[in-house]
């Protein structure tokens, strides 16, 4: 419900520039590997991440089944309608962030005890 929204907002607030949306449990009986459910989730999540500040056209939406392993490493025969990258290929396609190595090291502090 709200957890996906919270994670997207938190990631953007923390400066995460790239995102992959993994839609899990496509093997569930209520979903049945259907493209309709994929389209429904993609439409809703794309609208929200756009409000947060991400460009949904640059965010891969990958339907997966973690239990069965569909679209995790290899494409799934259960989702022949999906023509995008697998989860591992989407991860490999991410650009490594540039680090400001010429600046002093900064560490976030959570609490200070005296």
């Amino acid at each position: 419900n709200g957890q996906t929204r919270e994670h997207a907002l938190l990631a953007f607030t923390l400066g995460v520039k790239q995102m992959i949306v993994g839609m899990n449990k496509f093997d569930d009986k209520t979903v049945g590997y259907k493209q309709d459910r994929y389209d429904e989730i993609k439409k809703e999540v794309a609208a929200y991440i756009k409000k947060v500040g991400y460009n949904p056209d640059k965010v891969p939406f990958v339907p997966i089944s973690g239990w069965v392993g569909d679209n995790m490493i290899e494409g799934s025969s259960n989702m022949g309608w999906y023509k995008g990258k697998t989860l591992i290929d989407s991860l490999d396609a991410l650009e490594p962030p540039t680090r400001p190595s010429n600046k002093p090291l900064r560490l976030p502090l959570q609490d200070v005890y005296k």
Side-chain angles (χ1 to χ4, degrees):
N1 291 337
Q3 189 176 34
T4 301
R5 297 175 197 274
E6 289 176 21
H7 287 159
L9 181 59
L10 182 61
F12 190 80
T13 303
L14 291 173
V16 175
K17 304 292 183 209
Q18 301 171 84
M19 178 180 283
I20 297 170
V21 177
M23 302 180 216
N24 196 14
K25 300 187 180 182
F26 264 71
D27 60 314
D28 189 88
K29 292 175 184 175
T30 60
V31 179
Y33 296 103
K34 293 183 183 135
Q35 184 176 0
D36 293 343
R37 183 66 177 140
Y38 170 83
D39 293 337
E40 178 186 347
I41 296 168
K42 183 176 179 179
K43 180 180 176 185
E44 186 176 329
V45 174
Y48 182 73
I49 63 174
K50 185 174 184 177
K51 288 179 190 174
V52 169
Y54 289 102
N55 180 355
D57 297 330
K58 293 186 177 181
V59 175
F61 290 81
V62 184
I64 61 172
S65 166
W67 182 260
V68 181
D70 289 315
N71 280 342
M72 300 284 283
I73 297 173
E74 297 177 359
S76 171
S77 60
N78 293 318
M79 292 180 261
W81 47 265
Y82 178 71
K83 305 298 181 201
K85 294 180 180 179
T86 62
L87 183 60
I88 194 78
D89 290 338
S90 296
L91 288 168
D92 286 342
L94 292 175
E95 293 291 325
T98 57
R99 304 281 183 210
S101 58
N102 59 341
K103 294 184 178 181
L105 176 64
R106 292 183 181 201
L107 299 173
L109 297 176
Q110 183 173 351
D111 291 315
V112 177
Y113 300 98
K114 292 183 181 185

